[in-house]
Amino acid sequence: MHRWNVPGLATDLLKSVVYVDRRSTRWPVAGLLLWAVLGVSGLLTAALFRGRRAGSAGATR
């Protein structure tokens, strides 16, 4: 589970940069980018549905 958490990925990235060669940073960077993309898409989806629901509630009044 550590490898899928954002704090775990950030820790692995820092350890890879400081103690190991930079080629081992691929997975932590990819994982953090995946979390960022999923988070942004989730926020946009929630905003879209919330805006649609608020717009339809105002039309029925």
Side-chain angles (χ1 to χ4, degrees), residues 15-34:
K15 285 193 289 186
S16 297
V17 169
V18 173
Y19 297 114
V20 187
D21 62 350
R22 299 195 195 284
R23 287 179 290 182
S24 61
T25 61
R26 288 183 191 137
W27 166 244
V29 169
L32 288 171
L33 285 174
L34 179 68

Side-chain angles (χ1 to χ4, degrees), residues 44-56:
L44 291 175
T45 303
L48 177 72
F49 282 117
R50 183 172 181 181
R52 185 179 299 165
R53 189 175 71 200
S56 65

